[in-house]
Amino acid sequence: MEIIIKPTVAEAQQETAKIMRRQIQRKPETVLGLATGSTPIGVYSLLVGMHEKGELDFSKVSTFNLDEYVGLDAKHPWSYRAFMEAHLFGKVNIEKSRIHFPDGMATDIPAHCANYEADIRRAGGIDLQLLGIGREGHIGFNEPSSSLASRTRIKTLTPQTVKDNARFFGGEELVPRHVITMGVGTIMETRHCLLLATGEGKAEAVARMAEGAITADLPASILQMHPVCTLVVDAAAAKELKRCEYYHWVYDNKPDWQRV
Ligand code: PGA
């Protein structure tokens, strides 16, 4: 795992956006896996800025989002589909037909999840998957105890995640309890995982994920087994990492051809 520690949130977001820009510039028909939550908002705004400057063309890009709340339709203001529309899709030249999302209103959820997996395969697999991490170590909405081989399916949120996401809904009781999420196994098949974590609240999960034991108790820890995984953190989220000096050393000594 490559671990990039930036002093500030803004610099961590910039590094993440630059990695995404490089991917799209190298392969205009990139299949992106996308994440929601507060962490990627700054990254999306940087990507929109790059698009406005003419540096990024999304016309051939396809996207698959990680997750969606069960019971919220795409137009619901708190749906992740609406979030993506507001922060990225509505602001760049992406083709609507290339946007893929779990359907929170699906009547046959298992069949819908199987189709979502099939759609990812049909698109040729995900080239670059943007990820966040929950305080308890979820990726997507794969909460602790998720099978590390899981596929897209329904999950029940932990009380902690309900609490963390209540700010978007205006109260814990309004947060749906169920979600559809890409599985840990689905995420592990993506060609490059790019996880951004910022703020002290993520420090413990980040340290366990990168330096702790691989365990379903912290699903993000399986990323230690991913062949191409980049973790970008700000100084606050890096606080509990033991080998910070070494990670800085690696970054400072990176060959030029590996830099973004
Ligand atoms: P956050 O969520 O960015 O809102 O902290 C991250 C996540 O749950 O993956």
Side-chain angles (χ1 to χ4, degrees):
M1 186 183 301
E2 180 184 19
I3 301 176
I4 300 174
I5 304 169
K6 290 286 173 181
T8 63
V9 176
E11 285 162 282
Q13 291 168 341
Q14 272 156 15
E15 184 79 8
T16 306
K18 281 188 202 165
I19 294 171
M20 296 179 78
R21 177 177 63 188
R22 178 182 63 181
Q23 169 64 38
I24 297 168
Q25 287 177 340
R26 280 184 180 166
K27 184 179 175 188
E29 66 286 2
T30 284
V31 180
L32 282 181
L34 297 175
T36 47
S38 36
T39 309
I41 292 177
V43 174
Y44 292 144
S45 129
L46 289 166
L47 293 177
V48 169
M50 291 168 179
H51 170 70
E52 284 167 355
K53 276 193 262 160
E55 295 169 6
L56 260 189
D57 174 17
F58 285 83
S59 64
K60 296 196 176 88
V61 168
S62 301
T63 64
F64 286 86
N65 263 78
L66 282 167
D67 41 26
E68 181 58 282
Y69 291 105
V70 169
L72 301 193
D73 68 32
K75 297 241 153 29
H76 192 287
W78 305 124
S79 72
Y80 280 157
R81 183 70 174 79
F83 172 101
M84 289 305 303
E85 206 57 42
H87 293 287
L88 184 70
F89 298 155
K91 298 179 169 174
V92 297
N93 64 333
I94 189 160
E95 294 260 350
K96 298 284 171 223
S97 61
R98 292 203 173 95
I99 296 172
H100 303 85
F101 236 93
D103 180 2
M105 300 304 283
T107 45
D108 183 344
I109 290 178
H112 174 67
C113 293
N115 283 338
Y116 200 64
E117 293 271 339
D119 286 345
I120 294 173
R121 281 194 298 276
R122 251 193 307 273
I126 292 171
D127 293 302
L128 177 64
Q129 176 67 55
L130 180 63
L131 295 167
I133 187 170
R135 281 168 188 271
E136 293 181 304
H138 68 211
I139 42 174
F141 270 135
N142 295 284
E143 300 284 32
S145 83
S146 286
S147 160
L148 298 181
S150 50
R151 313 302 308 189
T152 303
R153 70 212 183 291
I154 189 167
K155 282 296 288 179
T156 307
L157 297 179
T158 62
Q160 180 68 52
T161 303
V162 168
K163 203 176 282 174
D164 287 344
N165 290 3
R167 64 192 190 280
F168 298 114
F169 288 84
E172 275 179 46
E173 60 297 342
L174 300 173
V175 182
R177 273 21 181 185
H178 295 109
V179 290
I180 294 173
T181 180
M182 271 162 59
V184 181
T186 321
I187 293 168
M188 286 297 285
E189 277 173 15
T190 63
R191 294 185 188 95
H192 181 181
C193 284
L194 175 60
L195 193 151
L196 172 65
T198 53
E200 208 173 337
K202 299 293 172 68
E204 187 192 338
V206 162
R208 285 184 64 199
M209 170 214 156
E211 298 177 336
I214 296 174
T215 168
D217 194 48
L218 193 105
S221 61
I222 192 64
L223 292 171
Q224 293 175 31
M225 298 288 287
H226 195 286
V228 190
C229 178
T230 309
L231 167 64
V232 183
V233 286
D234 70 334
K239 236 175 163 176
E240 293 188 30
L241 286 168
K242 289 194 295 274
R243 296 185 187 278
C244 283
E245 268 179 43
Y246 176 61
Y247 306 141
H248 282 301
W249 164 266
V250 172
Y251 187 75
D252 293 343
N253 287 289
K254 233 173 157 171
D256 281 342
W257 59 269
Q258 280 189 341
R259 292 184 181 278
V260 287

